[in-house]
Amino acid sequence: MKISVIGTGYLGATHAVCMAELGFDVVGVDVDQSKVLRLQRGEVPFFEPGLEPLLRKHVENGRLTFSSDLQAAAGWADVHFVCVGTPQRTNALSADTSYVEQAVDGLAPHLAPGALVVGKSTVPVGTAARLRERLRAQVAPRTHADLVWNPEFLREGHALHDTLHPDRIVVGTEGDVGVATLREVYAGALESGTPFLVTGLETAELVKVAANAFLATKISFINAMSEVCEATGGDVVALAEALGHDERIGSRFLGAGLGFGGGCLPKDIRAFQARCIELGLNRSVAFLAEVDEVNQRRRARTVALAHEMLGGRVKDRRIVVLGAAFKPDSDDVRDSPALDVADQLYMRGGDVVVHDPQATEPARRRSPDLVYVDSLAEAYAGADLLLLLTEWSEFRVLDPAVVGSRVRQRKIVDGRNVLPVPEWERAGWQLRALGRGA
Ligand code: NAD
């Protein structure tokens, strides 16, 4: 079986490499020429642990190629995974589905007989049925090509593991179209017991957005509790630990802090609201507006805390932001809470210096006015305030005595509740953390 992957960003590049690792011949197709050239050279254009060696292996053994020729890929492969972006529209909550439409339009007229188009991008409910009709209207006569939806649940930072060992495989289809083909593609995971759920197109689309809505809600729930703790003297870390022991609640996604960001959760909960409003279901997911607001308020609270710790004056103070990526083990800065806080402090006149182990270049492209330094020690030298905003493991294990000997003022905001507070306080630091009071 030959496979094409359309769109080779965080999702598509990973999927293409993993399909090659499973033994298929794969072509990755992208409209971004520079991305294609880098992938052809065996370079991953973003940071994802473990991905580059596997990419190199399969580029070198010839199983994996990259191209910008969608028409050629359409005629060559049997299965086409559509992994293009569905970003939030400018000045609207809704998702821009024009890239998935372009991908389907580009593939349809050139598909080989019996080809299967498999959507993986996250789309508003109803998109897949519309795309299936669009595809059927454009395929050559008697081609019998069709479209199904197979949402993706991978986590950046764990993308290889999640693709090779998914916790479930969901296939949205009509009847059993494409089911046997996808069972063949995912045979390895199925043999090791991964649940394989066949649903209608709409349910498959909804599984993805509902999962992200649930996770975002859980994060904002504990962050709302942070606000209550801050006002009442409670400690959100102790609260979350106690809640997490309840099996019905569980401790995962209950880490209070600066909240969520990235290329998925924020835009997915907004697109879900927009879609429900279109459907006249204004009340059904109205709570997601509050989930989003709680999340945004954590950023404002972190900026306010920085002000407070600097005695109300941010201007010309050396403020060191540790982290720019939206989460550790990724260089993704899309809607990054850390970078947002850094920008806001810079706009208030702060002398803001950012250090991130992997995300400097993407962050510089997004926020070019900030100062970025490659070395952690160089970053904190002379600092008036440190803000730990992305919980990279190297920040968790910083030695408060060593760091303390280099800064101007021993003041730190732990925006992710990951530092051992007593240790830092013993070393003479004034430490403030979200949801934990003074
Ligand atoms: P991305 O922006 O990193 O990648 C999208 C790629 O598609 C880009 O390289 C772009 O150049 C390419 N592209 C756009 N139009 C194209 C076209 N017509 N033909 C070929 N290539 C085209 O985005 P991403 O993070 O990989 O996300 C892609 C989709 O997957 C989104 O719908 C997202 O919500 C979903 N998703 C992402 C993740 C994740 O962790 N990043 C996880 C699950 C689902």
Side-chain angles (χ1 to χ4, degrees):
M1 192 186 296
K2 289 186 291 221
I3 288 179
S4 89
V5 176
I6 317 304
T8 55
Y10 284 90
L11 164 59
T14 307
H15 195 70
V17 168
C18 289
M19 289 296 113
E21 178 68 7
L22 293 177
F24 299 107
D25 287 328
V26 183
V27 60
V29 180
D30 206 289
V31 287
D32 182 339
Q33 287 281 354
S34 63
K35 211 173 258 186
V36 169
L37 287 173
R38 289 187 66 181
L39 288 161
Q40 280 171 340
R41 288 198 298 266
E43 286 171 35
V44 177
F46 51 88
F47 176 71
E48 179 59 47
L51 189 56
E52 196 153 283
L54 267 195
L55 167 72
R56 288 232 174 91
K57 173 177 150 191
H58 295 300
V59 167
E60 279 164 19
N61 68 24
R63 207 180 282 163
L64 176 58
T65 57
F66 292 92
S67 152
S68 48
D69 189 342
L70 182 59
Q71 186 173 331
W76 176 80
D78 309 293
V79 179
H80 305 271
F81 286 100
V82 175
C83 300
V84 300
T86 47
Q88 185 177 349
R89 284 180 203 276
T90 318
N91 300 325
L93 291 180
S94 55
D96 179 354
T97 56
S98 62
Y99 304 101
V100 277
E101 285 154 14
Q102 283 160 23
V104 167
D105 290 351
L107 286 168
H110 312 289
L111 289 171
L116 186 67
V117 175
V118 185
K120 286 198 89 60
S121 304
T122 304
V123 292
V125 59
T127 308
R130 186 162 51 76
L131 290 173
R132 186 184 54 195
E133 294 319 307
R134 207 172 161 120
L135 180 113
R136 286 177 178 171
Q138 295 183 73
V139 292
R142 290 180 294 282
T143 303
H144 302 298
D146 222 324
L147 179 141
V148 300
W149 218 261
N150 168 221
E152 177 58 52
F153 305 101
L154 71 78
R155 299 161 299 166
E156 286 175 24
H158 306 271
L160 277 183
H161 173 271
D162 290 353
T163 308
L164 293 170
H165 310 283
D167 48 16
R168 77 284 210 194
I169 296 164
V170 176
V171 179
T173 186
E174 191 182 42
D176 60 358
V177 171
V179 171
T181 304
L182 285 175
R183 281 191 159 276
E184 200 179 327
V185 169
Y186 295 120
L190 295 183
E191 263 165 40
S192 52
T194 302
F196 186 84
L197 305 158
V198 179
T199 70
L201 287 174
E202 292 77 12
T203 306
E205 292 166 311
L206 282 169
V207 172
K208 176 63 190 177
V209 287
N212 277 357
F214 185 85
L215 295 173
T217 303
K218 198 168 177 192
I219 296 169
S220 279
F221 173 81
I222 200 64
N223 283 334
M225 295 306 106
S226 267
E227 295 184 335
V228 178
C229 285
E230 282 158 12
T232 57
D235 180 327
V236 78
V237 173
L239 173 67
E241 188 186 349
L243 287 175
H245 286 298
D246 185 329
E247 279 181 4
R248 295 166 303 175
I249 298 174
S251 58
R252 298 188 67 195
F253 274 65
L254 221 50
L258 185 52
F260 58 83
C264 292
L265 251 53
K267 63 117 174 139
D268 289 349
I269 62 167
R270 292 172 197 152
F272 197 12
Q273 290 169 72
R275 184 65 184 129
C276 284
I277 291 168
E278 277 172 16
L279 293 165
L281 299 170
N282 303 36
R283 302 301 312 156
S284 303
V285 296
F287 67 93
L288 290 177
E290 197 55 49
V291 166
D292 203 358
E293 271 180 37
V294 168
N295 194 51
Q296 296 297 325
R297 283 206 298 274
R298 288 290 80 189
R299 302 179 188 190
R301 172 68 188 143
T302 305
V303 172
L305 210 45
H307 260 269
E308 240 173 74
M309 289 190 79
L310 290 169
R313 194 185 130 97
V314 162
K315 195 164 171 10
D316 300 330
R317 299 294 178 83
R318 185 173 169 93
I319 301 170
V320 175
V321 170
L322 300 179
F326 88 96
K327 69 171 188 177
D329 298 320
S330 172
D331 66 352
D332 195 345
V333 297
R334 290 176 288 185
D335 207 341
S336 161
L339 212 47
D340 211 0
V341 168
D343 279 337
Q344 289 187 46
L345 289 167
Y346 170 78
M347 283 186 288
R348 284 166 172 75
D351 172 10
V352 178
V353 175
V354 181
H355 171 76
D356 189 286
Q358 293 294 340
T360 299
E361 285 319 311
R364 203 196 301 276
R365 283 195 293 278
R366 206 199 89 174
S367 297
D369 293 329
L370 302 176
V371 172
Y372 297 90
V373 289
D374 290 333
S375 128
L376 179 54
E378 191 192 329
Y380 59 67
D384 290 302
L385 175 67
L386 300 185
L387 300 169
L388 193 167
L389 302 185
T390 312
E391 65 277 34
W392 285 95
S393 51
E394 45 264 73
F395 301 159
R396 291 168 179 255
V397 297
L398 280 171
D399 182 332
V402 173
V403 181
S405 67
R406 303 285 308 279
V407 297
R408 192 167 349 177
Q409 302 192 58
R410 295 187 177 199
K411 293 182 177 179
I412 185 163
V413 173
D414 180 0
R416 295 294 179 179
N417 280 311
V418 291
L419 294 177
V421 179
E423 225 175 274
W424 282 75
E425 287 182 343
R426 269 198 307 275
W429 284 79
Q430 185 191 344
L431 185 151
R432 295 289 301 276
L434 294 172
R436 307 194 80 176

